[in-house]
């Protein structure tokens, strides 16, 4: 079952492109990672799906609704979090903000208490519930913002940069929650700059840049893409010209090159003739390496 459908959707801001002729679908019970550099169109896409923005052209359907026309009905069936936009009351304790959400969404006391206990424990946020929002660090506030999205047991969860400000343990726990939600048939769309999130949990990876969709890979396709390449790291400034076309990134002491397996033997033979074994290494590419060429303006 298709939970989200975008067909040839465009949104412009005066002369600037938000998204241009973008199309994709999200199936029920899947996690989709929407990635791209700053200004790529990720947040615009999320706002279109959630009904905050109206598209200029194309068609959008979310849970069978038109996001803008049916926003009131739709908003009760999704959980939405924008990292830079708080849904909490600044001067209230976290628990009081959550209780207000309980009233807004019409959540039963049993469901509210059950979800609050379960997810606050997983996120290690139990001690934050009696703390005023104004006294929280960014990471603490993010934990409570995540709680807000989960309390009404939505069918679709939409997260825009949700892990910004979370420590490593909290990120791991958040990924655990997303995995459990998927197992229970929930559908999740997440935009993030933290590509570890995407690599670990996403069933599909959609890359957009300059408002256009450039890649749409399943986990299997992504795994194959990684398997077809390797990263050569050389700790020297004196790098041969024949490697320049494969350059991914360079620093003061190390240059990294992504090379396909079909030329592995000939490249390594040349490299081993010029460099000592301690001057170079071979590793699997990261998602960021694979997407490097698409991130360029």
């Amino acid at each position: 079952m298709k939970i989200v459908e975008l067909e040839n959707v465009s949104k412009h801001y005066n002369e600037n492109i938000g998204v241009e002729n973008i199309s994709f679908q999200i199936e029920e019970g899947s996690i989709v990672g929407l990635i791209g550099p700053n200004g790529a169109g990720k947040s615009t896409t999320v706002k279109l799906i959630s009904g905050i923005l109206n598209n200029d052209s194309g068609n959008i359907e979310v849970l069978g609704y038109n996001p803008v026309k049916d926003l009131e009905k739709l908003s009760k069936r999704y959980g939405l979090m924008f990292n830079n936009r708080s849904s909490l009351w600044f001067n209230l304790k976290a628990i009081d903000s959550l209780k207000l959400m309980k009233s807004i969404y019409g959540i039963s006391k049993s469901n509210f208490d059950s979800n609050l206990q379960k997810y606050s424990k997983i996120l290690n946020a139990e001690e934050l519930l009696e703390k005023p929002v104004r006294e929280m660090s960014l990471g603490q506030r993010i934990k409570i913002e995540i709680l807000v999205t989960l309390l009404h047991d939505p069918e679709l969860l939409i997260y825009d940069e949700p892990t910004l400000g979370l420590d490593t343990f909290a990120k791991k726990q958040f990924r655990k929650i997303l995995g459990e939600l998927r197992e229970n048939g929930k559908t999740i769309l997440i935009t993030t700059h933290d590509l570890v999130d995407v690599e670990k949990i996403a069933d599909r990876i959609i890359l957009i840049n300059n408002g256009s969709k450039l890649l749409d890979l399943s986990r299997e396709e992504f795994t194959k893409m990684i398997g077809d390449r390797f990263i050569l790291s050389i700790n020297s400034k004196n790098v041969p010209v024949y490697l320049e076309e494969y350059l991914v990134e360079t620093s003061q002491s190390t240059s990294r090159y992504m090379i396909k397996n079909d030329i592995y033997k000939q490249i390594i033979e040349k490299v081993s003739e010029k460099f000592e074994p301690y001057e170079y290494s071979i590793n699997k590419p990261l998602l960021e390496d694979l997407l490097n060429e698409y991130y360029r303006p």
Side-chain angles (χ1 to χ4, degrees):
M1 177 180 174
K2 297 178 180 65
I3 299 298
V4 176
E5 293 185 77
L6 278 73
E7 184 179 2
N8 301 322
V9 172
S10 295
K11 175 65 180 179
H12 294 179
Y13 304 99
N14 296 321
E15 300 299 318
N16 298 317
I17 296 174
V19 294
E20 184 70 38
N21 200 37
I22 192 168
S23 300
F24 63 84
Q25 301 173 345
I26 301 177
E27 300 289 337
E28 183 178 16
S30 64
I31 300 177
V32 173
L34 183 65
I35 62 176
N38 287 330
K42 302 187 301 297
S43 291
T44 295
T45 303
V46 167
K47 289 175 182 177
L48 289 167
I49 290 171
S50 57
I52 295 173
L53 287 178
N54 199 359
N55 50 308
D56 297 330
S57 60
N59 297 305
I60 307 175
E61 191 171 290
V62 180
L63 290 165
Y65 294 104
N66 178 298
V68 173
K69 293 180 180 178
D70 302 313
L71 179 58
E72 185 176 351
K73 295 177 182 177
L74 180 61
S75 61
K76 293 183 178 181
R77 296 179 62 182
Y78 67 56
L80 175 64
M81 176 184 165
F82 283 101
N83 183 266
N84 61 354
R85 181 181 299 175
S86 179
S87 59
L88 306 173
W89 279 261
F90 186 69
N91 289 312
L92 296 183
K93 294 179 181 178
I95 188 62
D96 293 327
S97 279
L98 296 173
K99 286 179 179 178
L100 281 169
M101 291 297 179
K102 172 181 177 292
S103 297
I104 290 171
Y105 285 107
I107 309 169
S108 69
K109 185 180 186 305
S110 60
N111 285 344
F112 177 83
D113 291 344
S114 175
N115 286 335
L116 179 62
Q117 181 180 14
K118 175 182 178 180
Y119 293 119
S120 61
K121 183 176 182 179
I122 294 174
L123 288 168
N124 194 28
E126 294 163 300
E127 294 183 0
L128 299 176
L129 297 178
E130 296 296 328
K131 188 172 185 178
V133 173
R134 67 175 183 273
E135 297 178 6
M136 293 183 181
S137 67
L138 174 60
Q140 290 173 333
R141 180 177 64 79
I142 293 303
K143 290 181 180 181
I144 304 302
E145 297 278 4
I146 291 171
L147 275 176
V148 170
T149 68
L150 299 168
L151 291 176
H152 59 294
D153 199 28
E155 299 159 70
L156 171 65
L157 292 128
I158 305 170
Y159 293 107
D160 188 30
E161 297 292 346
T163 58
L164 187 65
L166 293 182
D167 58 35
T168 301
F169 177 77
K171 287 182 180 181
K172 182 178 179 181
Q173 295 304 96
F174 178 60
R175 291 194 290 265
K176 177 182 177 181
I177 288 173
L178 296 188
E180 290 183 358
L181 291 169
R182 173 176 51 194
E183 289 177 5
N184 292 327
K186 308 297 185 181
T187 306
I188 300 157
L189 173 64
I190 178 171
T191 81
T192 179
H193 281 93
D194 190 338
L195 298 180
V196 175
D197 288 341
V198 176
E199 287 185 86
K200 287 184 177 295
I201 62 173
D203 302 300
R204 277 175 54 219
I205 298 166
I206 297 175
L207 169 69
I208 62 175
N209 198 6
N210 299 318
S212 298
K213 185 178 77 171
L214 303 180
L215 284 177
D216 189 342
L217 301 173
S218 66
R219 176 177 291 277
E220 291 75 20
E221 290 169 330
F222 168 64
T223 301
K224 184 178 185 301
M225 199 173 179
I226 285 182
D228 287 342
R229 294 160 171 80
F230 69 94
I231 291 292
L232 171 65
S233 299
I234 297 180
N235 301 318
S236 173
K237 294 182 179 180
N238 186 22
V239 178
V241 174
Y242 63 81
L243 286 176
E244 289 181 357
E245 64 180 293
Y246 309 111
L247 181 67
V248 171
E249 65 174 347
T250 187
S251 62
Q252 290 183 339
S253 59
T254 304
S255 296
R256 301 174 71 249
Y257 305 87
M258 186 165 63
I259 300 168
K260 289 190 174 182
N261 287 344
D262 56 5
I263 57 171
Y264 173 88
K265 185 176 180 180
Q266 64 192 73
I267 292 293
I268 295 304
E269 284 179 353
K270 290 181 180 180
V271 168
S272 62
E273 289 175 0
K274 182 174 178 59
F275 299 100
E276 296 297 328
Y278 62 83
E279 292 181 298
Y280 67 93
S281 61
I282 299 165
N283 297 284
K284 292 181 179 180
L286 304 172
L287 174 59
E288 187 172 0
D289 298 323
L290 296 174
L291 302 179
N292 178 67
E293 61 183 289
Y294 297 98
Y295 272 45
R296 296 167 183 165

